[in-house]
């Protein structure tokens, strides 16, 4: 165990108690798992943003019989009180708020020392350590799951290069994940963080969203709802067309740089905002990132351009340029919704973690029959989660008649 302060546990427990009623699908699974014990006798290591919804997810896995080690998946997103609450319940927890990269790495290793049968990763750091650095800790490993888009990309690259030594399921690619988590979750929580950190008005401002994927669509939609003028930058012609048809202005970053007041990157790519763009930006422009890692906005370029850097407010660093302009970077260029906020709302993580929980149970059952590679979540699980969520929301839908099924060729 490696946490900041166990006496913070009561505050963490309050946070977990607050999110539980908003996670009814996970609560239903908790009740079922207590009876069926899908993880009896298995050890699990989970590396997910260590905050209240993740803590509840860990409790559900334990209800299913798992012995769970928990760590974060980003050096800035761990919440010390939540980590303390889990540690007080006997979970093996490694993670502190504002970890250095060395500490972060040490915490991932600490959670892997559990020698898990199943891993749940978010972003691919845990997988990388287990595959490349400490394969000895994978002795018991049956399989794992991956939570996010970039993590799945990294898995496919590994599989292609022949360096993925175990089976992994791409939870991100389930409809119950990306349609809601990436779009509505990121859409809301990115703006919740920007609003909280800056305390500035969004209406009338020009917001530049880089990347019109599932996250970018959500971020643009919510910026629009807040009254912003939305500009989208893209490299994919279909996504750019879609943004244009959705009513947004599409520009290359070179031109968007001159008009933007707030820039949000969500591409999973690197160096999307570089020095030639920064050179054209307005004084007091705000830059933040919602995509993987802290490489979408080139921080080395910002540093090279700036004469001085000063912390202006919590989670806002001002980069002062020799020509008198200041560019404001939020949350050190890491995922703004998690590094400077609580991430996606509970109702959204209810869906993502329900997919995770059922996929992990499926892997506990059949994982030993799989060869190394990247697998999709079975359609049956994806559908099951949607049906459970609709029921939890009190919604019913129509059912195809036999005549309709025949007409549609089912
Ligand atoms: P996606 O693949 O659906 O979309 C990414 C889009 O970015 C694509 O349309 C692509 O064409 C575009 N793009 C790539 N390089 C670009 C560039 N240089 N300039 C402009 N556009 C570019 O992926 P997604 O599901 O939207 O995820 C995006 C990133 O956000 C990933 O890194 C993912 O891991 C991360 N993510 C973050 C959160 C969060 O909570 N902040 C949630 C889910 C996913
Ligand atoms: N290690 C990477 C992870 C990408 S984060 C990094 O730090 O850059 C993106 C993922 O965070 C999403 O797929 C989403 O499912 C997850 N996420 C968002 N809000 C969350 C929350 N409140 N709790 C746990 N995970 C969350």
């Amino acid at each position: 165990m490696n946490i900041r302060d166990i006496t913070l546990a009561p505050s963490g427990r309050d946070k977990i108690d607050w999110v539980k009623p908003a996670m009814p699908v996970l609560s239903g699974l908790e009740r079922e798992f207590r009876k069926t014990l899908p993880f009896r006798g298995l050890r699990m290591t989970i590396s997910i943003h260590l905050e209240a919804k993740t803590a509840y997810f860990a409790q559900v896995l334990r209800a299913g019989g798992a012995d769970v080690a928990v760590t974060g998946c980003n050096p800035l997103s761990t919440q010390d009180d939540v980590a303390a609450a889990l540690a007080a319940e006997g979970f093996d927890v490694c993670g502190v708020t504002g970890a250095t990269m060395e500490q972060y790495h040490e915490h991932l290793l600490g959670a892997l020392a559990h020698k898990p049968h199943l891993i749940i990763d978010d972003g691919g750091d845990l997988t990388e350590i287990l595959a490349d650095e400490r394969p000895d800790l994978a002795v018991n490993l049956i399989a794992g799951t991956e939570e996010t888009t970039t993590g799945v990309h990294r898995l496919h690259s590994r599989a292609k290069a022949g360096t993925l030594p175990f089976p992994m399921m791409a939870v991100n690619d389930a409809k119950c994940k990306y349609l809601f988590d990436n779009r509505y979750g990121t859409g809301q929580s990115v703006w919740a963080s920007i609003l909280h950190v800056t305390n500035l008005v969004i209406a009338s401002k020009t917001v530049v969203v880089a990347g019109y994927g599932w996250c970018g669509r959500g971020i643009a939609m919510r910026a629009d709802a807040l009254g912003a003028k939305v500009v989208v930058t893209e490299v994919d012609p279909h996504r750019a067309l879609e943004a244009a048809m959705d009513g947004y202005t599409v520009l290359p970053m070179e031109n968007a740089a001159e008009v933007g007041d707030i820039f949000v990157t969500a591409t999973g790519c690197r160096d999307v905002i570089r020095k030639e763009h920064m050179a054209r930006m307005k004084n007091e422009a705000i830059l933040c990132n919602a995509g993987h890692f802290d490489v979408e906005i080139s921080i080395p370029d910002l540093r090279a351009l700036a004469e001085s850097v000063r912390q202006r407010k919590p989670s806002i660093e001002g980069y002062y340029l020799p020509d008198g302009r200041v560019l404001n970077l939020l949350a050190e260029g890491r995922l703004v919704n998690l590094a400077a906020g609580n991430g996606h709302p509970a109702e959204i993580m209810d869906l993502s973690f329900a997919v995770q929980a059922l996929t992990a149970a499926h892997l506990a059952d059949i994982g030993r029959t799989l060869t190394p590679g990247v697998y999709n979540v079975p359609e049956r699980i994806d559908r099951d989660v949607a049906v459970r969520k609709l029921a939890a929301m009190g919604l019913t839908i129509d059912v195809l008649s036999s005549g309709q099924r025949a007409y549609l060729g089912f």
Side-chain angles (χ1 to χ4, degrees):
M1 186 169 52
N2 192 342
I3 61 162
R4 181 92 66 197
D5 181 359
I6 194 75
T7 67
L8 298 173
S11 151
R13 242 185 328 265
D14 284 347
K15 287 184 179 175
I16 301 169
D17 283 350
W18 172 255
V19 299
K20 276 188 194 179
M23 305 183 82
V25 180
L26 211 51
S27 299
L29 289 175
E30 182 182 10
R31 285 190 293 276
E32 288 175 28
F33 283 0
R34 274 190 202 291
K35 293 190 194 122
T36 55
L37 294 175
F39 308 118
R40 185 172 21 201
L42 298 183
R43 286 194 297 278
M44 296 178 79
T45 294
I46 73 175
S47 165
I48 303 217
H49 301 287
L50 213 175
E51 55 74 66
K53 295 130 234 170
T54 302
Y56 182 40
F57 175 46
Q59 291 173 341
V60 172
L61 297 175
R62 177 188 262 189
D67 174 2
V68 189
V70 188
T71 186
C73 66
N74 181 296
L76 295 190
S77 64
T78 295
Q79 299 188 11
D80 285 330
D81 52 358
V82 174
L86 282 181
E89 290 177 18
F91 284 89
D92 183 359
V93 189
C94 293
V96 297
T97 307
T100 62
M101 283 314 281
E102 292 71 32
Q103 284 173 318
Y104 171 65
H105 185 251
E106 206 179 284
H107 295 154
L108 292 173
L109 273 172
L112 283 173
H114 204 53
K115 296 197 177 154
H117 297 92
L118 294 169
I119 57 167
I120 296 187
D121 199 1
D122 180 344
D125 292 347
L126 196 73
T127 305
E128 185 167 298
I129 293 177
L130 205 51
D132 298 344
E133 228 176 280
R134 291 298 303 272
D136 57 307
L137 298 176
V139 277
N140 300 311
L141 197 76
I142 301 171
T145 64
E146 170 51 56
E147 169 84 358
T148 201
T149 315
T150 293
V152 172
H153 289 167
R154 289 173 82 183
L155 287 178
H156 282 299
S157 307
R158 281 191 161 277
K160 207 167 151 193
T163 57
L164 181 63
F166 33 75
M168 292 289 291
M169 256 182 198
V171 162
N172 179 76
D173 296 354
K175 290 195 273 294
C176 271
K177 203 291 184 169
Y178 67 83
L179 284 179
F180 307 102
D181 175 308
N182 299 27
R183 184 165 39 169
Y184 300 104
T186 314
Q188 175 167 321
S189 62
V190 157
W191 288 108
S193 287
I194 297 174
L195 289 166
H196 174 70
V197 166
T198 66
N199 193 25
L200 295 174
V201 78
I202 306 301
S204 82
K205 290 213 165 63
T206 297
V207 167
V208 177
V209 180
Y212 203 63
W214 291 107
C215 293
R217 290 177 179 112
I219 296 164
M221 175 174 59
R222 295 306 184 225
D224 187 31
L226 286 165
K229 297 187 267 292
V230 179
V231 174
V232 169
T233 72
E234 251 299 344
V235 292
D236 178 303
H238 292 109
R239 296 264 166 107
L241 262 180
E242 192 185 343
M245 294 285 179
D246 284 343
Y248 305 129
T249 303
V250 174
L251 290 173
M253 186 57 83
E254 194 186 352
N255 304 109
E258 290 172 356
V259 296
D261 298 299
I262 302 177
F263 295 80
V264 189
T265 52
T267 67
C269 188
R270 61 171 306 144
D271 301 325
V272 178
I273 298 185
R274 305 179 297 273
K275 57 177 178 309
E276 61 266 34
H277 307 131
M278 296 162 188
R280 293 166 159 243
M281 284 180 185
K282 294 184 197 173
N283 183 32
E284 293 287 359
I286 292 167
L287 282 67
C288 63
N289 170 46
H292 193 76
F293 290 150
D294 54 352
V295 298
E296 301 210 12
I297 299 165
S298 172
I299 298 171
D301 280 3
L302 254 184
R303 283 206 197 100
L305 284 177
E307 214 164 42
S308 63
V309 184
R310 189 164 65 79
Q311 187 85 35
R312 301 188 72 187
K313 260 165 76 72
S315 301
I316 306 182
E317 283 171 311
Y319 284 77
Y320 293 83
L321 309 189
D323 60 14
R325 285 177 303 140
V326 54
L327 303 181
N328 299 296
L329 179 68
L330 307 193
E332 300 176 22
R334 294 189 180 275
L335 303 145
V336 69
N337 58 325
L338 283 143
N342 295 305
H344 297 356
E347 295 90 335
I348 295 287
M349 294 318 293
D350 190 30
L351 279 164
S352 307
F353 287 154
V355 178
Q356 283 282 11
L358 286 169
T359 304
H362 175 63
L363 288 173
D365 188 22
I366 61 97
R368 287 191 174 86
T369 66
L370 300 176
T371 52
V374 189
Y375 294 83
N376 285 330
V377 170
E379 177 63 27
R380 155 184 77 72
I381 291 179
D382 206 355
R383 200 179 163 82
D384 184 16
V385 174
V387 168
R388 287 169 186 260
K389 189 70 172 177
L390 281 171
M393 293 169 77
L395 301 175
T396 47
I397 60 171
D398 291 330
V399 179
L400 289 172
S401 68
S402 53
Q404 286 172 325
R405 292 183 70 82
Y407 178 74
L408 293 172
F410 290 158

